[in-house]
Amino acid sequence: MANKLTRDLITVQNRLYAQLESLSWLQRRLAIKGQLPPLRGWATSPDVLLRLHTHIMATRHQVIVEFGSGASTLLIADALRQNGSGKLISIEHSDHYGAQTLATLQAERLEGWVDLRIGDLEAWEDEHLNPKDAEKPSRWYPLSLLEGIEQVDLLWVDGPPGATCLFSRYPALPALAGKLSPNAEVWMDDTVRQEEKDICERWANDHDFELEYYPLEKGLGRLTRPGVPTAAPTPMPQTAVSDRDDDAHPERALGLDFSLPEERDKD
């Protein structure tokens, strides 16, 4: 028992060091003047945000769509501004969190780089991995929010919340499959969770993508077109994860939680 406790404490310590290093790198890359939003709890982890920001600046993507606004919205907008071109269409279901995102963008004068679209989740009637007899019926963003979107270079999926229904993020690629550019990439956050892995694998099979996972704090799935040259991932601080939630986050087994109180159990 003592040996396991020691190993878990060392793992937690190493994870914290890696995330602090990722956060330090991220802050050096950003051109914002204020503080970053909280990056614990349900928010995208610093190592994923660092990779996302670096990737966008290297590839100079022109049309980016994200599902689920927040810290990623600020980071993507900053990368686009530093590049001097591009647009982010950010899809959000919550008026509250949408207003927070907009206020953060305005404070940094980044709102011109983002088309923030907000709409309540509604019934999803098309194919879904959520069983027909599931306790929670399938819901997703209003399809009207996708009007006018074309030639998407990067699709970043971090919503809707997992509590919406089983496999809540599945509709993202089916809904936008006909709106992607020939070289488009799809990135899925939180692939430490099996649901997100199942979604990625279904997307890869159904839409002719190659799938790769990155062992970051909460996991990252990257889908790319076969035969299309892709930018090699930039070496960055990483923390190994496993498929088991307790192994991936031993701080939870130790009774530690690094999220803010209002953020817990919302993802």
Side-chain angles (χ1 to χ4, degrees), residues 1-143:
M1 181 64 180
N3 289 337
K4 184 180 186 304
L5 181 60
T6 300
R7 289 196 303 270
D8 286 347
L9 286 171
I10 291 173
T11 301
V12 172
Q13 183 182 50
N14 290 340
R15 180 179 299 280
L16 287 173
Y17 285 155
Q19 290 306 316
L20 287 172
E21 186 174 2
S22 292
L23 184 57
S24 178
W25 285 27
L26 186 59
Q27 289 174 327
R28 290 197 295 269
R29 293 189 60 86
L30 296 175
I32 66 173
K33 297 179 180 179
Q35 295 291 321
L36 283 168
L39 301 182
R40 308 291 356 120
W42 56 268
T44 303
S45 56
D47 52 3
V48 172
L49 290 174
L50 176 59
R51 187 176 294 276
L52 182 63
H53 190 275
T54 303
H55 174 78
I56 293 170
M57 291 198 64
T59 57
R60 304 186 71 86
H61 289 316
Q62 293 302 295
V63 181
I64 301 172
V65 173
E66 72 167 357
F67 292 112
S69 72
S72 60
T73 314
L74 179 67
L75 271 291
I76 294 171
D78 177 83
L80 295 177
R81 181 169 65 182
Q82 290 194 50
N83 282 344
S85 63
K87 192 74 173 184
L88 168 63
I89 298 95
S90 179
I91 310 297
E92 173 61 53
H93 77 283
S94 166
D95 289 333
H96 173 72
Y97 289 114
Q100 285 188 345
T101 298
L102 180 58
T104 303
L105 293 171
Q106 290 173 336
E108 297 293 341
R109 298 184 179 179
L110 286 167
E111 68 272 22
W113 298 95
V114 181
D115 180 358
L116 179 60
R117 305 180 181 186
I118 303 173
D120 291 336
L121 300 178
E122 57 185 34
W124 173 263
E125 303 295 346
D126 291 337
E127 183 180 0
H128 202 292
L129 297 184
N130 186 32
K132 294 288 186 181
D133 58 353
E135 179 181 353
K136 295 182 179 179
S138 303
R139 293 191 300 147
W140 200 66
Y141 304 98
L143 290 176

